[in-house]
Amino acid sequence: YLLWDNIDLANKYRSDIDELYQRTKDKLTGYLNGTDKPLNVPKLSNKTLSLKNGHQYDENGNPVILVGFNDFLAPDNFVKSANKLGLNMTQRGLYISKLIKYDAETDGYIPMGYDEPKRGTGYDYNISQTIEFLDECRKNNVKVNLMFEPMSVAYVPDTDFKDAGVTYYGYIGYNATHPRVKQQVDAAAKVFINIVKDYQDVVTGICFANEPFFLTNDKPYYDKYWTEYIKKNYPTPESLYATYSTYDYSEDKRPESDFSQPENVLYRDYRDFNENVLCEYFSYMSDALKREKQAQGVTADIPLSVKLMINVGEKIGNEPVDGRDRRRHGVNYEKIKRRI
């Protein structure tokens, strides 16, 4: 939180962290001197992990979800000592911008070279680094949840791919259902699955969205789609007026809603609309990856997933900790699950 320049949140959690530290220290001390007994939990091993029907199962046939820890900024050589530390699974991502590049001659996208762009650091890995990492994981019995990351995309010549003068919050920094997104996903999925194909014994899961968040209400690109949505739900001016009283769909207009009032009809319609946009975005990525798995002969039933986050801090005083609450603003977990 200090990195995000949020002093209030840092102070809020400081006492919690001190309390957790002391509790953990007391527990560990008790385990070591015999005054306390650790909980009996199942020991999961990637050696007995099986994949079936797009799910992971332990040795007793129980469904499990193992993704490991995200190795963002981890030392390059951590895999060699992972087993000694009790680790046998990790998560790493590949940006779309590291898989493909724009080709002006065809106005399309072609595979990125093995070693281009230049070798990155931290989370900015290219294909070469990722393959070296997967080789190292194979040698050291570490399984990988590999992320297909659309956070960073390749060059796009279209001006409406990203609206000027509006805010894009982190993960999805563009208009999520723009035709160029689909074009890039199709091209990148071919390269990504070509990598997975050679590491079916290492890759035990594919995550194609990491803590996604996207708002349509401030993006002019979605004005016409919002109007289409309103006309579909309120097919006559009378039905629309009976609900909104002051709304006119003769002109494209983005919703202007108070998100702190969920009883507001406009808010509920906007939220449903936003959920539909995100589900279309996720569904397309999921379908593209499934299509390539089949086309390239990936026989392992590797599950696809998205990683979603909610706020854990609740409130400071009467104010929400994070005004971008995923659920309030149109990230519907149940809808997404049905679409992927």
Side-chain angles (χ1 to χ4, degrees):
Y1 291 120
L2 288 175
L3 289 175
W4 300 332
D5 206 22
N6 195 326
I7 303 301
D8 288 337
L9 275 177
N11 287 332
K12 172 181 171 59
Y13 289 115
R14 180 174 179 176
S15 60
D16 294 340
I17 292 172
D18 288 341
E19 180 184 343
L20 285 172
Y21 167 80
Q22 190 60 49
R23 191 190 311 165
T24 303
K25 181 181 178 182
D26 293 343
K27 280 286 185 182
L28 181 57
T29 301
Y31 297 157
L32 293 174
N33 63 26
T35 60
D36 203 346
K37 185 178 181 180
L39 294 174
N40 185 22
V41 296
K43 182 178 181 180
L44 297 174
S45 170
N46 63 34
K47 293 180 181 179
T48 57
L49 184 70
S50 62
L51 305 177
K52 183 180 179 182
N53 300 324
H55 297 283
Q56 301 173 346
Y57 296 89
D58 65 15
E59 59 185 350
N60 297 315
N62 299 312
V64 294
I65 301 175
L66 304 179
V67 297
F69 73 97
N70 195 314
D71 72 353
F72 176 48
L73 295 180
D76 290 338
N77 62 351
F78 85 93
V79 172
K80 294 179 180 179
S81 56
N83 289 166
K84 296 178 181 178
L85 298 172
L87 303 173
N88 57 27
M89 182 168 286
T90 187
Q91 185 178 61
R92 175 168 290 201
L94 260 174
Y95 290 135
I96 283 181
S97 61
K98 303 297 180 181
L99 295 168
I100 57 172
K101 57 186 175 182
Y102 179 69
D103 179 43
E105 185 174 338
T106 61
D107 190 33
Y109 293 89
I110 59 177
M112 187 71 75
Y114 188 81
D115 282 306
E116 61 171 334
K118 67 179 182 179
R119 296 169 66 87
T121 58
Y123 204 52
D124 194 21
Y125 305 111
N126 63 19
I127 296 174
S128 174
Q129 285 171 298
T130 300
I131 290 176
E132 290 173 7
F133 173 76
L134 291 171
D135 284 335
E136 199 64 38
C137 287
R138 176 180 279 159
K139 292 177 186 175
N140 291 277
N141 187 36
V142 173
K143 303 299 184 184
V144 178
N145 182 277
L146 197 60
M147 301 179 75
F148 179 70
E149 279 281 23
M151 179 189 285
S152 174
V153 293
Y155 167 76
V156 175
D158 307 65
T159 56
D160 63 345
F161 183 71
K162 185 173 183 176
D163 290 311
V166 299
T167 301
Y168 289 83
Y169 295 100
Y171 181 81
I172 307 173
Y174 45 83
N175 293 322
T177 52
H178 191 283
R180 287 288 186 183
V181 175
K182 297 178 179 180
Q183 191 180 23
Q184 291 206 23
V185 167
D186 284 341
K190 286 180 172 27
V191 183
F192 182 84
I193 294 299
N194 190 54
I195 296 172
V196 172
K197 179 180 65 176
D198 294 331
Y199 293 91
Q200 296 181 60
D201 59 321
V202 177
V203 177
T204 58
I206 295 172
C207 177
F208 59 87
N210 182 36
E211 304 175 21
F213 181 74
F214 186 70
L215 296 179
T216 54
N217 69 309
D218 62 346
K219 316 254 182 325
Y221 180 81
Y222 286 98
D223 288 357
K224 60 181 179 181
Y225 299 108
W226 166 254
T227 301
E228 290 173 3
Y229 171 88
I230 287 294
K231 288 182 177 180
K232 181 179 179 181
N233 285 274
Y234 306 96
T236 66
E238 290 77 17
S239 63
L240 179 65
Y241 186 80
T243 302
Y244 282 115
S245 73
T246 59
Y247 199 87
D248 181 4
Y249 60 32
S250 62
E251 297 180 4
D252 290 339
K253 180 181 179 182
R254 282 166 283 147
E256 297 175 1
S257 177
D258 182 354
F259 295 138
S260 67
Q261 297 180 0
E263 70 280 1
N264 183 293
V265 177
L266 178 57
Y267 161 73
R268 293 201 301 270
D269 277 344
Y270 160 69
R271 176 169 156 170
D272 182 61
F273 172 73
N274 204 88
E275 290 169 356
N276 293 343
V277 168
L278 270 177
C279 283
E280 179 183 341
Y281 171 73
F282 293 139
S283 180
Y284 195 86
M285 283 193 287
S286 175
D287 289 346
L289 290 166
K290 290 176 183 177
R291 189 167 57 245
E292 284 303 320
K293 282 173 63 179
Q294 183 175 8
Q296 297 191 39
V298 174
T299 57
D301 204 353
I302 302 172
L304 302 178
S305 66
V306 298
K307 185 167 71 176
L308 302 168
M309 299 289 284
I310 62 172
N311 291 333
V312 296
E314 297 181 353
K315 294 183 178 181
I316 295 179
N318 294 319
E319 296 298 320
V321 167
D322 185 356
R324 298 172 295 162
D325 186 299
R326 275 90 169 143
R327 293 169 299 175
R328 287 197 300 117
H329 288 176
V331 179
N332 186 306
Y333 301 163
E334 290 76 19
K335 275 188 183 180
I336 292 171
K337 186 177 186 300
R338 290 195 297 268
R339 293 289 291 272
I340 67 172

